[in-house]
Amino acid sequence: MDKNIINNLLCWKRKKLKKACLFLHPDKPYFFISGTVFEEFLKNFKSCKSYRDSISIISSKYEVPKKVVRDDISKVIERVGYLDIMKGKDIISFSDNEKIDGLFLHLTSRCNLTCPHCYRGKPGKKTELSSKIIDNAINELSQIKGSTLVLSGGEPLLYNGFKGILENAAGRIKNVKVLSNGTLIDEKIAHLIADTGAFIQVSLDGASERTNDEVRGKGSYKKVMKGLERLRKAGAIKRCNLSFTIMKHNAGEIEKIIEITESFGIPSVRFLVLRKEGCAVNNWEKIGSGITTEEYEEVFKKLFYLGGNNNGKVSIEGGLSGFNVSFSNEEAMNPLLCPVGNSPAVDLDGKVYPCVLLMQEEFLMGDLRKDTLKDICKRQEVSKIRTKCAERKKRVNKCRACTWNNFCQSACAGLAYECHDTIWETDNFCGVRKKLYDHVFNEMVDRASGSRK
């Protein structure tokens, strides 16, 4: 019996579930679920420091042969050892040469829609990112072997020369994604997406003409439907995903949006919470004040259920920051799950910020009118912001002792700043996430119990 594993597990956090016990790594988003007997075993071992005595106590209490108890305990310890999740403490630091792996380019502030919840707000005097900055950014990103480029707006399809930009980028960057409202997708654009192998995200905020057009404008729903059909005919539909912002008026249409996604053959749909940013600030009473955190909680519970019960036909992504339960081993070993800093956002002036949610002057990383991406990395701007964000789970008062802090990691720094004017807070969905984590892990136990019957 490996006593090192047992002693290590004594440091893990524990959370009682309805029918089991959840064990959580003290520093990493690792976990395993076991019966309450194993929890009793650890308590006994901690007090008496004897493996045999701990087994004997449980055997007497439940009138079960020692061999049965010993075998059950051994299986759990063997499983935990096999998972190779005991290694490494949480070291919140990043190398000085932390690199930029992606860019989020705002090509234009122009848009053919006037959505009241647009995070970009109304166009200012500067409406376009210069083609020189765009070309240089693509060249540099390719040279440093960056893997991702996002083209956004406004509506990026309105940018003069969009076709050339997409063709240039797609030929040099592994993953290129266009964020569009979907109303301007004609046959040429559909074939451009297909031919370049780019991805396209299309926003749709209602499963019906009435619901969508209430916020996106009259006629927008039909135009999006036609655009999606053109993508399908061009053979690009598998490189598309839908994006749905949850609001009071459309929260009841989750299932219908998933049905629309499936009917077109679109592989995934993403559900986002409404942000009080940009145009939404002045329109909050109309679009945002009605939905409560309790309603958001029910929506995300439903999304978790639907995600596990749709036979994998559609990937359902719940865009609630800090709600994470599935990680690769590589992700779990990273001090910060969020790509903040690694995939910075570029505004219309060429200024570089850690992400689209931290585009305030105090977070400025550089300026592509005078800096190269290598310059920004050399100044350690990437590692600085990533170290700060990774420290949040230890420094934010609410988060320091929270059961879920290694999963949530204090949630999105940008949303926290939006709510409190500081990144040293969490956002306003903390209570929702805690209830969702409880719900999801209890559901995991129920599903596992059901599969064994």
Side-chain angles (χ1 to χ4, degrees):
M1 183 55 57
D2 192 334
K3 288 190 177 182
N4 287 332
I5 291 180
I6 299 173
N7 285 320
N8 200 315
L9 285 173
L10 291 174
C11 301
W12 283 42
K13 295 183 279 189
R14 297 172 212 171
K15 172 77 176 174
K16 279 191 178 295
L17 303 174
K18 291 176 185 176
K19 303 175 184 177
C21 184
L22 175 66
F23 293 81
L24 301 120
H25 193 287
D27 301 300
K28 302 288 182 187
Y30 288 132
F31 70 91
F32 71 92
I33 297 171
S34 187
T36 53
V37 170
F38 187 73
E39 183 190 19
E40 282 191 52
F41 164 78
L42 286 179
K43 286 180 179 177
N44 294 333
F45 185 86
K46 185 176 182 180
S47 59
C48 67
K49 300 296 181 185
S50 166
Y51 176 76
R52 287 184 179 179
D53 291 349
S54 303
I55 297 292
S56 297
I57 293 168
I58 293 173
S59 174
S60 295
K61 180 177 178 179
Y62 293 101
E63 299 181 346
V64 177
K66 290 180 183 178
K67 184 179 185 309
V68 174
V69 178
R70 187 164 51 248
D71 287 349
D72 285 349
I73 298 301
S74 295
K75 284 177 184 176
V76 176
I77 293 172
E78 186 178 319
R79 178 162 58 94
V80 174
Y82 175 75
L83 289 173
D84 197 28
I85 57 179
M86 311 304 295
K87 294 179 184 176
K89 286 209 161 191
D90 195 29
I91 303 170
I92 302 176
S93 63
F94 295 89
S95 64
D96 292 343
N97 60 347
E98 189 79 11
K99 65 174 282 192
I100 289 173
D101 186 54
L103 282 178
F104 192 111
L105 298 183
H106 291 93
L107 301 185
T108 178
S109 62
R110 293 188 296 125
C111 188
N112 59 315
L113 302 182
T114 55
C115 302
H117 58 304
C118 178
Y119 80 94
R120 292 295 294 157
K122 293 180 179 179
K125 292 181 181 179
K126 181 77 173 179
T127 59
E128 306 277 305
L129 181 60
S130 82
S131 58
K132 182 180 178 181
I133 289 177
I134 296 169
D135 290 342
N136 288 342
I138 293 171
N139 291 339
E140 287 184 48
L141 189 61
S142 173
Q143 287 169 8
I144 63 174
K145 302 190 185 313
S147 66
T148 305
L149 179 69
V150 177
L151 303 175
S152 183
E155 173 51 56
L157 302 186
L158 286 173
Y159 189 88
N160 186 29
F162 173 79
K163 180 176 181 290
I165 290 169
L166 187 60
E167 288 174 335
N168 179 30
R172 308 183 68 179
I173 311 297
K174 183 180 178 181
N175 299 305
V176 179
K177 189 167 193 174
V178 180
L179 306 188
S180 173
N181 62 42
T183 61
L184 300 177
I185 299 173
D186 55 20
E187 289 183 4
K188 287 183 178 179
I189 292 294
H191 282 286
L192 178 65
I193 297 296
D195 294 343
T196 57
F199 294 87
I200 185 165
Q201 175 174 289
V202 174
S203 297
L204 186 66
D205 291 331
S208 66
E209 188 175 350
R210 180 189 62 79
T211 312
N212 179 80
D213 291 5
E214 184 176 331
V215 289
R216 291 197 159 264
K218 188 176 180 180
S220 59
Y221 180 85
K222 286 182 177 178
K223 289 177 182 177
V224 170
M225 293 299 109
K226 287 178 181 177
L228 294 175
E229 185 57 39
R230 287 171 184 138
L231 287 171
R232 178 160 61 181
K233 286 181 178 179
I237 204 68
K238 293 298 182 186
R239 304 186 73 79
C240 174
N241 76 279
L242 292 186
S243 177
F244 181 94
T245 300
I246 304 162
M247 292 174 266
K248 179 71 174 178
H249 79 289
N250 66 11
E253 295 192 341
I254 300 297
E255 291 99 333
K256 290 180 180 178
I257 282 290
I258 295 171
E259 287 173 11
I260 289 173
T261 308
E262 185 180 335
S263 71
F264 275 100
I266 297 170
S268 67
V269 56
R270 192 167 184 231
F271 293 91
L272 305 175
V273 296
L274 181 65
R275 293 177 54 206
K276 194 173 183 180
E277 186 73 15
C279 293
V281 173
N282 294 325
N283 293 300
W284 197 249
E285 288 302 313
K286 176 184 175 184
I287 60 171
S289 61
I291 189 164
T292 63
T293 52
E294 289 77 18
E295 286 171 311
Y296 269 127
E297 181 187 336
E298 290 306 311
V299 166
F300 282 99
K301 279 183 183 177
K302 184 182 290 186
L303 289 175
F304 175 76
Y305 172 80
L306 293 170
N309 291 276
N310 74 345
N311 300 315
K313 293 177 181 178
V314 174
S315 172
I316 298 171
E317 301 174 24
L320 178 61
S321 170
F323 183 56
N324 310 296
V325 293
S326 179
F327 311 93
S328 67
N329 196 51
E330 183 181 353
E331 288 173 326
M333 290 304 290
N334 194 316
L336 186 63
L337 296 165
C338 173
V340 61
N342 288 142
S343 296
V346 180
D347 73 6
L348 298 175
D349 292 315
K351 291 182 178 179
V352 182
Y353 299 91
C355 82
V356 293
L357 302 180
L358 287 172
M359 295 182 71
Q360 292 81 21
E361 208 61 27
E362 65 182 279
F363 302 110
L364 183 67
M365 297 171 67
D367 188 330
L368 294 186
R369 290 171 295 188
K370 57 186 179 181
D371 297 321
T372 66
L373 297 180
K374 286 182 180 179
D375 291 336
I376 293 169
C377 294
K378 281 179 182 176
R379 292 201 302 266
Q380 301 175 25
E381 298 294 342
V382 179
S383 54
K384 285 176 189 173
I385 188 64
R386 287 189 63 71
T387 299
K388 277 185 179 180
C389 288
E391 288 174 344
R392 292 174 65 240
K393 69 177 184 179
K394 303 285 189 183
R395 290 181 56 183
V396 174
N397 289 333
K398 270 188 182 179
C399 307
R400 200 173 291 130
C402 179
T403 301
W404 309 112
N405 65 354
N406 293 318
F407 292 79
C408 168
Q409 299 192 337
S410 294
C412 173
L415 285 177
Y417 190 90
E418 184 180 299
C419 298
H420 306 290
D421 291 326
T422 177
I423 65 169
W424 303 113
E425 281 283 353
T426 187
D427 62 21
N428 292 338
F429 290 95
C430 178
V432 173
R433 277 188 298 272
K434 286 180 178 178
K435 290 179 182 178
L436 284 173
Y437 277 122
D438 282 346
H439 173 78
V440 164
F441 280 105
N442 276 302
E443 280 284 308
M444 285 183 184
V445 174
D446 288 343
R447 288 180 186 180
S449 299
S451 67
R452 288 195 293 265
K453 291 179 182 177

